[in-house]
Structure formats: C-alpha cells, structure tokens
Amino acid sequence: MQLSKICVLGGSGFVGSAIVAKLDAAGYAVTVLTRRREAAKHLFLLPNVTVVECDVLDYHALNTVLRGTDAVINLIGILHQGHHASFNAIHHQLPAQLAKICADLGIKRLIQMSSLGAHEHAPSQYLRTKAAGEAALKALQDKINITIFKPSIIFGRGDKFTNLFATLIKLLPVVVLAKPNAKFQPIWVEDVASCFVNSLQNMDTYGQTYELAGPKVYTFRELLQQIMHVLSIQRPIIGLNNTLSYVQALIMEFLPVKLMSRDNIKSMEVDSVSQQPLPAVLVVEPSALEAVLPEYLVDRNARGAYDRFRSAAAR
C-alpha cells in the first residue's frame, strides 16, 4: 500500500522536527498536530507540511483530524508529570486511543516512539507507562501495521540533555551529579529520524519493535566529561550515592523549572543500553557522539566565539 499522507503527533518538538523535515524532503504530505500552532512556526516554510492545532487527548478532535490520513507517527511523551498531564494519560491512554481511532478509520500504519528500558516491572512510572502504551498498541496488531522504536537518550542541536549540561558546566564551578554511574547509549537525532522515515513503507518492519542506540555506551559521568572536553572547560564532578541522588531530585521537584525528579532517578536505575545493534533493515549506521557533539556545542566555547568573530568580519 502506497502511503502519501502522514500525520505526526509531537512533530514540532526536538525529535519531531527532524522527522518532519525528512518526511517533507521525501515528498510526503505531512500534517503536524500541536497544542499551539505558534510553537511549530519553524515548520511553516516546509512546502509539504501543514500545522494544525489539536488537543490530541480529545478523542473526537483527534478522530476528526486523522480522517483521510494514510499513516500516523506518535512522538508525544513527557519526562515530568504535572497537573495537566500524567504519565498514564500521555504514555498509555493516548497510544491506546490513537490505535483505536486508526483501527476505526482504517488507517493501517502506525509508528510509536517508546523508550529503551520500558517494561511493565520497571522501577519508574515513566518506563512502566511507556510499556503499557506498547502493550495497548500490540493488542491491535491484527488491524494495524505497527512499528515501535525504543531509543536511548537522543542528542543533537536543540536537545534538552547535552545543551542543558553544557549550560550548567559553564555556570557552575562544581557539578553535583546524581546517579553518576548510570549508563546510556546516546543516539543522534538525525539517525533516529532516518529510522522512522526508512521504516514507514518497509513491510519488513511491520509488527516489529526496535531498540535505537548509538555505537558507544557511556556512564553519566563520562557523558559530562565528553561535553566538558568539547567546551574546553573542566569542572570537578561530585557523584552522589543513591540516597543523596533522591534527595537532590526531591529538592529539584520544587524548582520553577524541573530539571530532575525522583521518577527520573528511578528510570536511571535501568541502564539505557541496547542489547542489539541497529538492524540492517533500517539502513542506518549510527553516528558517534564524539563526531557530532562539536558541530553544535562548539559555539559555546572560546574557539567558537573566535570563529563567529572571524565570520562576522568576513575573514
């Protein structure tokens, strides 16, 4: 079945923007659903992209906007719960509702973003609800061609991980780090986007679940050291034990901007590491963190400032 009209939930975010750009370049007609159209203004100039405001938790609104769609990509997820959005509502109920709508409307293709480490017995609500969302989708696999992707942390220009810690490293004389030995296998956002787009019409990926991870495993401490190396800034790192990690997260939950929560700490009890390489069917060779990080963090160090000065002076 030839697919041409693709609807992307969460298409204006960090990962979604990369996927939407690749879909647009491939000639798909893309509809991006967002709570606030203004938040997706960076997509307005893409010739094949339409941005539509929609409350995706509203069954009737979502049902209406999905009519005539050939395939749906769901990228919506949250790292922190709030008064207006819970892990269960976003990670479990939304995918379940979305799958039911696709089945009712005859939409045969659905791709879901989950998370590496998601499991019904995982220590965190984040990971347990991600697993519940996967289960809800798999219950309708006889009616929909579903593919589930489970990435480790995703890095790239505009991410909320490496860029956040780059800022903290510049501002703080000492970095006090929760769960310093937690393990991650970061994957570049462009590689993730390629996996999604390459799988869209590949029947071999139907009914499959894929772990997405880069070529190298790092501890949390090693990731920060890598960021420091790119910035040419060295800071002492004080690693916290489990008890102090929870205390730090509890304090951070009361900050105006949530940087860390106790549930995040629980998620880090499970190593975000893949047990399998990227399968050949996805046609992606993952890029190394060391090769990509300088491309967007270099502007934050002294050399980057010098290069910008030279560029502005046309020298």
Side-chain angles (χ1 to χ4, degrees):
M1 179 180 67
Q2 190 68 23
L3 308 176
S4 59
K5 298 179 180 179
I6 317 299
C7 187
V8 184
L9 284 68
S12 62
F14 165 57
V15 178
S17 296
I19 292 174
V20 168
K22 287 186 183 294
L23 289 170
D24 174 80
Y28 291 102
V30 185
T31 298
V32 174
L33 303 188
T34 180
R35 287 178 299 172
R36 294 184 301 106
R37 195 168 184 274
E38 184 67 13
K41 60 185 180 181
H42 58 288
L43 303 176
F44 289 175
L45 294 180
L46 296 178
N48 302 310
V49 175
T50 302
V51 178
V52 176
E53 282 192 356
C54 179
D55 179 1
V56 297
L57 298 180
D58 183 325
Y59 179 90
H60 297 291
L62 188 56
N63 186 294
T64 298
V65 78
L66 288 180
R67 293 178 183 274
T69 296
D70 297 323
V72 177
I73 297 174
N74 180 32
L75 306 170
I76 296 180
I78 55 175
L79 286 175
H80 308 290
Q81 298 190 99
H83 296 298
H84 304 293
S86 69
F87 286 139
N88 186 61
I90 300 299
H91 298 159
H92 177 202
Q93 298 301 326
L94 175 58
Q97 175 175 279
L98 182 59
K100 184 179 185 304
I101 292 174
C102 287
D104 291 344
L105 296 180
I107 299 172
K108 297 296 185 182
R109 186 70 172 119
L110 174 58
I111 303 179
Q112 170 75 15
M113 171 80 86
S114 185
S115 179
L116 198 57
H119 192 277
E120 61 179 329
H121 300 303
S124 70
Q125 282 185 275
Y126 173 86
L127 293 174
R128 290 196 300 271
T129 53
K130 284 283 191 178
E134 292 180 26
L137 295 182
K138 290 176 181 177
L140 289 174
Q141 280 194 141
D142 59 329
K143 297 181 179 179
I144 313 168
N145 298 314
I146 295 171
T147 303
I148 297 171
F149 288 109
K150 304 175 64 152
S152 182
I153 58 171
I154 302 172
F155 69 92
R157 187 179 299 275
D159 73 44
K160 293 182 179 180
F161 184 84
T162 61
N163 287 283
L164 169 63
F165 281 102
T167 299
L168 293 177
I169 287 166
K170 290 195 70 175
L171 293 175
L172 301 176
V174 176
V175 179
V176 179
L177 188 64
K179 305 290 281 189
N181 297 318
K183 292 181 180 178
F184 303 94
Q185 199 168 349
I187 184 166
W188 188 30
V189 65
E190 295 297 329
D191 291 336
V192 172
S194 293
C195 289
F196 272 76
V197 176
N198 292 350
S199 71
L200 189 58
Q201 301 203 59
N202 188 334
M203 295 177 63
D204 291 338
T205 68
Y206 292 1
Q208 301 299 314
T209 298
Y210 298 109
E211 297 180 349
L212 300 183
K216 186 175 177 181
V217 175
Y218 304 81
T219 64
F220 203 174
R221 183 190 295 272
E222 288 169 343
L223 277 175
L224 262 64
Q225 290 170 335
Q226 188 63 45
I227 295 170
M228 290 179 186
H229 175 73
V230 173
L231 295 176
S232 298
I233 298 173
Q234 293 301 313
R235 298 283 189 255
I237 298 175
I238 300 176
L240 300 180
N241 62 24
N242 288 340
T243 300
L244 291 178
S245 294
Y246 281 105
V247 172
Q248 183 191 58
L250 175 61
I251 294 170
M252 287 184 171
E253 287 179 12
F254 292 96
L255 298 177
V257 178
K258 266 190 181 177
L259 301 178
M260 185 81 71
S261 71
R262 285 169 291 175
D263 197 75
N264 297 151
I265 297 296
K266 291 178 181 178
S267 289
M268 286 192 283
E269 291 176 7
V270 179
D271 289 338
S272 186
V273 173
S274 177
Q275 302 303 314
Q276 57 193 49
L278 285 187
V281 69
L282 298 176
V283 201
V284 172
E285 184 68 32
S287 300
L289 177 79
E290 291 87 349
V292 177
L293 206 58
E295 292 183 6
Y296 63 93
L297 286 189
V298 69
D299 291 341
R300 294 175 175 268
N301 64 16
R303 176 68 193 183
Y306 175 69
D307 289 342
R308 289 197 307 276
F309 174 78
R310 289 190 61 187
S311 177
R315 298 180 64 184

Short mmCIF file of all heavy atoms in Angstrom, two decimals, residues 12-69:
data_model
loop_
_atom_site.label_atom_id
_atom_site.label_comp_id
_atom_site.label_asym_id
_atom_site.label_seq_id
_atom_site.Cartn_x
_atom_site.Cartn_y
_atom_site.Cartn_z
N SER A 12 6.39 19.02 16.33
CA SER A 12 7.07 20.32 16.46
C SER A 12 8.20 20.29 17.47
O SER A 12 8.91 21.29 17.64
CB SER A 12 6.05 21.40 16.87
OG SER A 12 5.48 21.10 18.14
N GLY A 13 8.39 19.17 18.16
CA GLY A 13 9.44 19.06 19.16
C GLY A 13 10.81 18.76 18.57
O GLY A 13 11.00 18.77 17.35
N PHE A 14 11.75 18.49 19.45
CA PHE A 14 13.14 18.26 19.05
C PHE A 14 13.26 17.09 18.06
O PHE A 14 13.77 17.25 16.94
CB PHE A 14 13.96 18.00 20.31
CG PHE A 14 15.32 17.40 20.08
CD1 PHE A 14 16.25 18.01 19.27
CD2 PHE A 14 15.66 16.20 20.68
CE1 PHE A 14 17.50 17.45 19.05
CE2 PHE A 14 16.91 15.63 20.49
CZ PHE A 14 17.82 16.26 19.67
N VAL A 15 12.77 15.93 18.42
CA VAL A 15 12.84 14.76 17.53
C VAL A 15 11.86 14.91 16.38
O VAL A 15 12.18 14.62 15.22
CB VAL A 15 12.56 13.46 18.30
CG1 VAL A 15 12.60 12.26 17.36
CG2 VAL A 15 13.57 13.27 19.43
N GLY A 16 10.66 15.39 16.69
CA GLY A 16 9.63 15.52 15.66
C GLY A 16 10.05 16.43 14.52
O GLY A 16 9.78 16.13 13.35
N SER A 17 10.72 17.52 14.84
CA SER A 17 11.14 18.45 13.79
C SER A 17 12.11 17.79 12.81
O SER A 17 12.05 18.03 11.60
CB SER A 17 11.80 19.69 14.42
OG SER A 17 10.87 20.40 15.21
N ALA A 18 12.99 16.95 13.33
CA ALA A 18 13.94 16.24 12.46
C ALA A 18 13.21 15.24 11.58
O ALA A 18 13.51 15.11 10.38
CB ALA A 18 14.99 15.53 13.30
N ILE A 19 12.23 14.53 12.14
CA ILE A 19 11.47 13.54 11.37
C ILE A 19 10.62 14.23 10.31
O ILE A 19 10.58 13.81 9.15
CB ILE A 19 10.60 12.69 12.30
CG1 ILE A 19 11.47 11.80 13.18
CG2 ILE A 19 9.60 11.84 11.51
CD1 ILE A 19 10.71 11.02 14.24
N VAL A 20 9.95 15.31 10.70
CA VAL A 20 9.09 16.04 9.76
C VAL A 20 9.91 16.59 8.60
O VAL A 20 9.48 16.55 7.44
CB VAL A 20 8.33 17.16 10.49
CG1 VAL A 20 7.66 18.12 9.50
CG2 VAL A 20 7.27 16.57 11.42
N ALA A 21 11.09 17.11 8.88
CA ALA A 21 11.95 17.64 7.81
C ALA A 21 12.31 16.56 6.80
O ALA A 21 12.31 16.79 5.59
CB ALA A 21 13.21 18.26 8.40
N LYS A 22 12.61 15.35 7.30
CA LYS A 22 12.95 14.25 6.39
C LYS A 22 11.72 13.78 5.61
O LYS A 22 11.83 13.42 4.43
CB LYS A 22 13.58 13.10 7.17
CG LYS A 22 15.00 13.37 7.65
CD LYS A 22 15.63 12.15 8.28
CE LYS A 22 17.03 12.46 8.83
NZ LYS A 22 18.00 12.79 7.76
N LEU A 23 10.57 13.75 6.26
CA LEU A 23 9.34 13.37 5.56
C LEU A 23 9.04 14.38 4.45
O LEU A 23 8.65 14.00 3.33
CB LEU A 23 8.17 13.30 6.53
CG LEU A 23 8.18 12.15 7.54
CD1 LEU A 23 7.08 12.36 8.58
CD2 LEU A 23 7.96 10.81 6.83
N ASP A 24 9.20 15.65 4.77
CA ASP A 24 8.96 16.71 3.78
C ASP A 24 9.91 16.56 2.60
O ASP A 24 9.50 16.64 1.43
CB ASP A 24 9.14 18.07 4.44
CG ASP A 24 9.06 19.21 3.46
OD1 ASP A 24 7.93 19.61 3.09
OD2 ASP A 24 10.13 19.73 3.05
N ALA A 25 11.18 16.33 2.89
CA ALA A 25 12.18 16.18 1.82
C ALA A 25 11.89 14.97 0.95
O ALA A 25 12.22 14.96 -0.25
CB ALA A 25 13.58 16.08 2.43
N ALA A 26 11.26 13.94 1.54
CA ALA A 26 10.94 12.73 0.79
C ALA A 26 9.65 12.87 -0.01
O ALA A 26 9.28 11.95 -0.75
CB ALA A 26 10.81 11.54 1.75
N GLY A 27 8.96 14.01 0.11
CA GLY A 27 7.79 14.27 -0.70
C GLY A 27 6.45 13.88 -0.08
O GLY A 27 5.42 13.96 -0.75
N TYR A 28 6.45 13.46 1.18
CA TYR A 28 5.20 13.13 1.85
C TYR A 28 4.42 14.41 2.17
O TYR A 28 5.00 15.47 2.42
CB TYR A 28 5.46 12.39 3.16
CG TYR A 28 6.01 11.01 3.00
CD1 TYR A 28 7.37 10.75 3.20
CD2 TYR A 28 5.18 9.93 2.66
CE1 TYR A 28 7.90 9.47 3.06
CE2 TYR A 28 5.70 8.65 2.52
CZ TYR A 28 7.04 8.42 2.72
OH TYR A 28 7.56 7.16 2.59
N ALA A 29 3.10 14.31 2.16
CA ALA A 29 2.24 15.39 2.65
C ALA A 29 2.09 15.18 4.15
O ALA A 29 1.51 14.18 4.59
CB ALA A 29 0.88 15.35 1.96
N VAL A 30 2.61 16.10 4.94
CA VAL A 30 2.72 15.91 6.39
C VAL A 30 1.81 16.88 7.12
O VAL A 30 1.85 18.09 6.88
CB VAL A 30 4.17 16.12 6.87
CG1 VAL A 30 4.29 15.78 8.35
CG2 VAL A 30 5.14 15.27 6.05
N THR A 31 1.01 16.33 8.03
CA THR A 31 0.22 17.16 8.94
C THR A 31 0.80 17.01 10.34
O THR A 31 0.93 15.90 10.85
CB THR A 31 -1.26 16.72 8.96
OG1 THR A 31 -1.82 16.88 7.64
CG2 THR A 31 -2.07 17.56 9.94
N VAL A 32 1.17 18.12 10.92
CA VAL A 32 1.73 18.14 12.27
C VAL A 32 0.67 18.63 13.23
O VAL A 32 0.12 19.72 13.06
CB VAL A 32 2.98 19.04 12.34
CG1 VAL A 32 3.47 19.17 13.78
CG2 VAL A 32 4.09 18.49 11.45
N LEU A 33 0.38 17.83 14.26
CA LEU A 33 -0.59 18.22 15.28
C LEU A 33 0.15 18.83 16.46
O LEU A 33 1.14 18.28 16.94
CB LEU A 33 -1.41 17.02 15.74
CG LEU A 33 -2.16 16.25 14.65
CD1 LEU A 33 -3.08 15.20 15.29
CD2 LEU A 33 -2.97 17.19 13.77
N THR A 34 -0.32 19.96 16.93
CA THR A 34 0.33 20.64 18.04
C THR A 34 -0.72 21.37 18.89
O THR A 34 -1.79 21.73 18.40
CB THR A 34 1.36 21.66 17.52
OG1 THR A 34 1.99 22.33 18.61
CG2 THR A 34 0.72 22.69 16.62
N ARG A 35 -0.41 21.55 20.17
CA ARG A 35 -1.33 22.29 21.05
C ARG A 35 -1.35 23.77 20.68
O ARG A 35 -2.39 24.42 20.77
CB ARG A 35 -0.90 22.13 22.50
CG ARG A 35 -1.17 20.78 23.11
CD ARG A 35 -0.67 20.73 24.54
NE ARG A 35 0.78 20.94 24.60
CZ ARG A 35 1.46 21.09 25.73
NH1 ARG A 35 0.83 21.07 26.90
NH2 ARG A 35 2.77 21.26 25.71
N ARG A 36 -0.19 24.30 20.29
CA ARG A 36 -0.09 25.72 19.94
C ARG A 36 0.61 25.84 18.59
O ARG A 36 1.76 25.46 18.44
CB ARG A 36 0.69 26.50 21.00
CG ARG A 36 0.01 26.58 22.35
CD ARG A 36 0.79 27.45 23.33
NE ARG A 36 2.16 26.96 23.54
CZ ARG A 36 3.25 27.53 23.04
NH1 ARG A 36 3.16 28.59 22.27
NH2 ARG A 36 4.44 27.01 23.30
N ARG A 37 -0.10 26.36 17.62
CA ARG A 37 0.44 26.47 16.27
C ARG A 37 1.72 27.30 16.25
O ARG A 37 2.65 27.03 15.48
CB ARG A 37 -0.61 27.07 15.34
CG ARG A 37 -0.30 26.89 13.86
CD ARG A 37 -1.49 27.25 12.99
NE ARG A 37 -1.21 26.97 11.59
CZ ARG A 37 -0.60 27.84 10.78
NH1 ARG A 37 -0.26 29.03 11.23
NH2 ARG A 37 -0.36 27.51 9.52
N GLU A 38 1.78 28.31 17.12
CA GLU A 38 2.94 29.18 17.17
C GLU A 38 4.21 28.41 17.53
O GLU A 38 5.32 28.76 17.09
CB GLU A 38 2.71 30.29 18.19
CG GLU A 38 3.80 31.34 18.27
CD GLU A 38 3.90 32.20 17.03
OE1 GLU A 38 2.97 32.16 16.19
OE2 GLU A 38 4.92 32.89 16.88
N ALA A 39 4.06 27.32 18.28
CA ALA A 39 5.23 26.53 18.70
C ALA A 39 5.85 25.77 17.52
O ALA A 39 6.97 25.27 17.63
CB ALA A 39 4.82 25.54 19.79
N ALA A 40 5.11 25.70 16.41
CA ALA A 40 5.62 24.96 15.25
C ALA A 40 5.95 25.90 14.09
O ALA A 40 6.06 25.45 12.94
CB ALA A 40 4.58 23.93 14.80
N LYS A 41 6.17 27.17 14.38
CA LYS A 41 6.38 28.13 13.29
C LYS A 41 7.65 27.84 12.49
O LYS A 41 7.76 28.24 11.33
CB LYS A 41 6.41 29.56 13.83
CG LYS A 41 7.51 29.84 14.84
CD LYS A 41 7.35 31.27 15.39
CE LYS A 41 8.43 31.59 16.41
NZ LYS A 41 8.26 32.96 16.96
N HIS A 42 8.59 27.12 13.11
CA HIS A 42 9.81 26.77 12.37
C HIS A 42 9.54 25.76 11.26
O HIS A 42 10.41 25.52 10.41
CB HIS A 42 10.86 26.21 13.33
CG HIS A 42 10.41 25.01 14.10
ND1 HIS A 42 9.48 25.07 15.11
CD2 HIS A 42 10.75 23.71 14.00
CE1 HIS A 42 9.28 23.87 15.61
NE2 HIS A 42 10.05 23.02 14.95
N LEU A 43 8.33 25.17 11.25
CA LEU A 43 7.96 24.21 10.20
C LEU A 43 7.13 24.84 9.09
O LEU A 43 6.86 24.19 8.08
CB LEU A 43 7.16 23.06 10.82
CG LEU A 43 7.83 22.27 11.95
CD1 LEU A 43 6.87 21.23 12.51
CD2 LEU A 43 9.11 21.59 11.45
N PHE A 44 6.73 26.10 9.27
CA PHE A 44 5.79 26.72 8.34
C PHE A 44 6.32 26.80 6.91
O PHE A 44 5.55 26.73 5.94
CB PHE A 44 5.43 28.14 8.80
CG PHE A 44 4.55 28.20 10.03
CD1 PHE A 44 4.23 29.42 10.60
CD2 PHE A 44 4.04 27.05 10.60
CE1 PHE A 44 3.43 29.49 11.73
CE2 PHE A 44 3.24 27.10 11.73
CZ PHE A 44 2.94 28.33 12.29
N LEU A 45 7.64 26.95 6.75
CA LEU A 45 8.20 27.14 5.41
C LEU A 45 8.44 25.82 4.67
O LEU A 45 8.76 25.85 3.48
CB LEU A 45 9.51 27.92 5.50
CG LEU A 45 9.40 29.38 5.99
CD1 LEU A 45 10.76 30.04 6.03
CD2 LEU A 45 8.44 30.17 5.11
N LEU A 46 8.28 24.70 5.34
CA LEU A 46 8.44 23.42 4.65
C LEU A 46 7.27 23.23 3.69
O LEU A 46 6.10 23.29 4.11
CB LEU A 46 8.52 22.27 5.66
CG LEU A 46 9.73 22.29 6.60
CD1 LEU A 46 9.65 21.13 7.58
CD2 LEU A 46 11.02 22.23 5.81
N PRO A 47 7.53 23.01 2.41
CA PRO A 47 6.47 23.07 1.39
C PRO A 47 5.38 22.02 1.52
O PRO A 47 4.24 22.25 1.08
CB PRO A 47 7.24 22.90 0.08
CG PRO A 47 8.53 22.24 0.46
CD PRO A 47 8.86 22.76 1.83
N ASN A 48 5.69 20.87 2.09
CA ASN A 48 4.70 19.79 2.15
C ASN A 48 4.10 19.60 3.55
O ASN A 48 3.47 18.58 3.82
CB ASN A 48 5.36 18.47 1.71
CG ASN A 48 5.92 18.56 0.31
OD1 ASN A 48 5.27 18.99 -0.61
ND2 ASN A 48 7.19 18.16 0.16
N VAL A 49 4.30 20.61 4.43
CA VAL A 49 3.89 20.47 5.83
C VAL A 49 2.75 21.42 6.16
O VAL A 49 2.80 22.60 5.83
CB VAL A 49 5.08 20.72 6.77
CG1 VAL A 49 4.62 20.70 8.24
CG2 VAL A 49 6.17 19.68 6.55
N THR A 50 1.72 20.88 6.82
CA THR A 50 0.61 21.67 7.34
C THR A 50 0.58 21.50 8.86
O THR A 50 0.63 20.37 9.35
CB THR A 50 -0.73 21.21 6.75
OG1 THR A 50 -0.68 21.31 5.33
CG2 THR A 50 -1.88 22.05 7.29
N VAL A 51 0.49 22.60 9.58
CA VAL A 51 0.45 22.56 11.04
C VAL A 51 -0.99 22.83 11.50
O VAL A 51 -1.60 23.81 11.09
CB VAL A 51 1.41 23.60 11.65
CG1 VAL A 51 1.30 23.57 13.18
CG2 VAL A 51 2.84 23.32 11.21
N VAL A 52 -1.50 21.92 12.34
CA VAL A 52 -2.88 22.01 12.80
C VAL A 52 -2.92 21.98 14.32
O VAL A 52 -2.30 21.12 14.95
CB VAL A 52 -3.73 20.84 12.25
CG1 VAL A 52 -5.15 20.87 12.80
CG2 VAL A 52 -3.74 20.87 10.72
N GLU A 53 -3.63 22.92 14.92
CA GLU A 53 -3.83 22.89 16.37
C GLU A 53 -4.84 21.81 16.72
O GLU A 53 -5.91 21.74 16.12
CB GLU A 53 -4.31 24.24 16.88
CG GLU A 53 -3.21 25.27 17.00
CD GLU A 53 -3.65 26.50 17.78
OE1 GLU A 53 -4.83 26.57 18.17
OE2 GLU A 53 -2.81 27.39 17.99
N CYS A 54 -4.51 20.98 17.69
CA CYS A 54 -5.40 19.90 18.09
C CYS A 54 -5.07 19.44 19.50
O CYS A 54 -3.89 19.26 19.82
CB CYS A 54 -5.29 18.72 17.11
SG CYS A 54 -6.34 17.31 17.52
N ASP A 55 -6.09 19.25 20.31
CA ASP A 55 -5.91 18.62 21.62
C ASP A 55 -5.96 17.12 21.38
O ASP A 55 -7.04 16.54 21.24
CB ASP A 55 -7.02 19.06 22.57
CG ASP A 55 -6.90 18.41 23.95
OD1 ASP A 55 -5.95 17.62 24.15
OD2 ASP A 55 -7.77 18.66 24.79
N VAL A 56 -4.80 16.48 21.35
CA VAL A 56 -4.75 15.06 20.98
C VAL A 56 -5.37 14.16 22.03
O VAL A 56 -5.64 12.99 21.77
CB VAL A 56 -3.30 14.61 20.69
CG1 VAL A 56 -2.72 15.37 19.50
CG2 VAL A 56 -2.41 14.78 21.92
N LEU A 57 -5.60 14.71 23.24
CA LEU A 57 -6.26 13.91 24.27
C LEU A 57 -7.78 13.95 24.13
O LEU A 57 -8.49 13.22 24.82
CB LEU A 57 -5.85 14.42 25.66
CG LEU A 57 -4.37 14.32 26.00
CD1 LEU A 57 -4.11 14.85 27.40
CD2 LEU A 57 -3.86 12.89 25.87
N ASP A 58 -8.27 14.79 23.23
CA ASP A 58 -9.70 14.88 22.94
C ASP A 58 -10.03 13.88 21.83
O ASP A 58 -9.63 14.06 20.67
CB ASP A 58 -10.06 16.30 22.50
CG ASP A 58 -11.55 16.49 22.24
OD1 ASP A 58 -12.20 15.55 21.75
OD2 ASP A 58 -12.06 17.59 22.51
N TYR A 59 -10.74 12.81 22.18
CA TYR A 59 -11.00 11.72 21.24
C TYR A 59 -11.65 12.22 19.95
O TYR A 59 -11.23 11.86 18.85
CB TYR A 59 -11.89 10.67 21.89
CG TYR A 59 -12.24 9.50 20.99
CD1 TYR A 59 -11.41 8.38 20.96
CD2 TYR A 59 -13.36 9.52 20.17
CE1 TYR A 59 -11.70 7.30 20.12
CE2 TYR A 59 -13.66 8.45 19.34
CZ TYR A 59 -12.83 7.35 19.32
OH TYR A 59 -13.13 6.30 18.49
N HIS A 60 -12.67 13.05 20.08
CA HIS A 60 -13.41 13.49 18.89
C HIS A 60 -12.57 14.41 18.01
O HIS A 60 -12.62 14.32 16.77
CB HIS A 60 -14.71 14.18 19.31
CG HIS A 60 -15.66 13.26 20.04
ND1 HIS A 60 -16.31 12.23 19.40
CD2 HIS A 60 -16.03 13.22 21.34
CE1 HIS A 60 -17.07 11.58 20.28
NE2 HIS A 60 -16.91 12.14 21.46
N ALA A 61 -11.80 15.30 18.63
CA ALA A 61 -10.93 16.19 17.86
C ALA A 61 -9.88 15.39 17.10
O ALA A 61 -9.61 15.65 15.92
CB ALA A 61 -10.27 17.20 18.79
N LEU A 62 -9.27 14.40 17.77
CA LEU A 62 -8.25 13.58 17.13
C LEU A 62 -8.86 12.72 16.02
O LEU A 62 -8.28 12.58 14.94
CB LEU A 62 -7.58 12.69 18.18
CG LEU A 62 -6.35 11.89 17.74
CD1 LEU A 62 -5.27 12.80 17.17
CD2 LEU A 62 -5.80 11.07 18.90
N ASN A 63 -10.03 12.17 16.27
CA ASN A 63 -10.72 11.37 15.27
C ASN A 63 -10.98 12.19 14.01
O ASN A 63 -10.77 11.72 12.88
CB ASN A 63 -12.03 10.85 15.85
CG ASN A 63 -12.74 9.87 14.93
OD1 ASN A 63 -13.19 10.24 13.85
ND2 ASN A 63 -12.85 8.62 15.36
N THR A 64 -11.41 13.42 14.19
CA THR A 64 -11.75 14.28 13.05
C THR A 64 -10.52 14.62 12.21
O THR A 64 -10.53 14.52 10.98
CB THR A 64 -12.40 15.58 13.54
OG1 THR A 64 -13.63 15.26 14.21
CG2 THR A 64 -12.71 16.51 12.37
N VAL A 65 -9.43 15.01 12.88
CA VAL A 65 -8.26 15.47 12.15
C VAL A 65 -7.52 14.32 11.46
O VAL A 65 -6.79 14.55 10.48
CB VAL A 65 -7.32 16.25 13.09
CG1 VAL A 65 -6.51 15.32 13.96
CG2 VAL A 65 -6.41 17.19 12.31
N LEU A 66 -7.69 13.09 11.93
CA LEU A 66 -6.98 11.96 11.33
C LEU A 66 -7.69 11.37 10.10
O LEU A 66 -7.11 10.53 9.41
CB LEU A 66 -6.79 10.85 12.38
CG LEU A 66 -5.76 11.11 13.47
CD1 LEU A 66 -5.68 9.92 14.42
CD2 LEU A 66 -4.39 11.42 12.89
N ARG A 67 -8.89 11.80 9.84
CA ARG A 67 -9.61 11.26 8.69
C ARG A 67 -8.87 11.55 7.39
O ARG A 67 -8.43 12.68 7.15
CB ARG A 67 -11.03 11.84 8.63
CG ARG A 67 -11.91 11.40 9.79
CD ARG A 67 -13.30 12.01 9.74
NE ARG A 67 -14.06 11.60 10.92
CZ ARG A 67 -14.76 10.49 11.01
NH1 ARG A 67 -14.82 9.66 9.96
NH2 ARG A 67 -15.42 10.19 12.12
N GLY A 68 -8.72 10.55 6.55
CA GLY A 68 -8.02 10.71 5.28
C GLY A 68 -6.52 10.51 5.36
O GLY A 68 -5.81 10.59 4.35
N THR A 69 -6.02 10.23 6.57
CA THR A 69 -4.58 10.01 6.76
C THR A 69 -4.21 8.57 6.39
O THR A 69 -4.96 7.64 6.62
CB THR A 69 -4.21 10.27 8.24
OG1 THR A 69 -4.44 11.66 8.53
CG2 THR A 69 -2.76 9.94 8.51
#
